[in-house]
């Protein structure tokens, strides 16, 4: 999802709708730069006292203090919160761009399917 939305979306959406750039470039940059510490916290949490030890789903009973008393689970959960905030900010930027920065002759029913797919995906992410 970060590659599809963050990578291809930021490059293709303005080209497809005739906009010069994304609507909120600073929020876009902040959204990207939140992913970097998120990955660092996730990988760092995996190195502390044997790793997360909760499975790939972060199963709640296994992430409690009884089974995993190291701070590695805290780093993993904080990493997921940072990635979630990054996704929310990116979604706001995409919806703003798709709704407000279309060309004057471009209507919603003539928007490319890729833009529709990203718009629906980001709306569902916000909901």
């Amino acid at each position: 999802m970060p590659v599809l939305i963050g990578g291809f979306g930021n490059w293709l959406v303005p080209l497809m709708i005739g906009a010069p750039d994304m609507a909120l470039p600073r929020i876009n940059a902040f959204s990207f730069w939140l992913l970097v510490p998120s990955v660092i916290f996730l990988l760092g949490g995996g190195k502390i006292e044997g790793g997360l030890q909760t499975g790939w789903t972060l199963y709640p009973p296994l992430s409690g203090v009884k089974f995993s008393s190291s701070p590695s689970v805290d780093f993993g959960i904080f990493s997921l919160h940072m990635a979630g905030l990054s996704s929310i900010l990116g979604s706001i930027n995409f919806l703003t761009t798709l709704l407000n920065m279309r060309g004057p002759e471009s209507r919603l029913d003539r928007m490319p399917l890729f833009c529709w797919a990203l718009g629906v995906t980001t709306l569902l992410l916000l909901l």
Side-chain angles (χ1 to χ4, degrees):
M1 289 301 288
V3 172
L4 172 71
I5 291 179
F8 290 117
N10 281 321
W11 178 53
L12 287 175
V13 166
L15 289 175
M16 289 182 166
I17 65 171
D21 195 9
M22 297 295 281
L24 308 167
R26 290 185 183 179
I27 289 180
N28 200 22
F30 184 60
S31 171
F32 170 75
W33 285 109
L34 271 177
L35 285 177
V36 175
S38 173
V39 169
I40 291 171
F41 277 118
L42 185 63
L43 294 176
K47 302 289 183 190
I48 297 173
E49 295 180 20
L52 293 173
Q53 300 175 355
T54 58
W56 67 276
T57 59
L58 289 174
Y59 188 55
L62 295 178
S63 62
V65 177
K66 181 179 178 183
F67 294 106
S68 181
S69 61
S70 72
S72 63
V73 177
D74 297 334
F75 278 113
I77 292 172
F78 184 62
S79 167
L80 291 178
H81 279 87
M82 289 178 75
L85 180 63
S86 169
S87 297
I88 289 171
L89 291 174
S91 295
I92 292 169
N93 191 18
F94 272 109
L95 283 179
T96 305
T97 301
L98 288 172
L99 294 176
N100 294 332
M101 295 194 66
R102 285 177 282 118
E105 70 281 346
S106 177
R107 297 189 328 239
L108 284 177
D109 62 340
R110 294 183 183 215
M111 203 165 48
L113 189 59
F114 181 75
C115 296
W116 269 104
L118 277 178
V120 169
T121 301
T122 56
L123 181 66
L124 288 174
L125 195 135
L126 285 174
L127 291 177

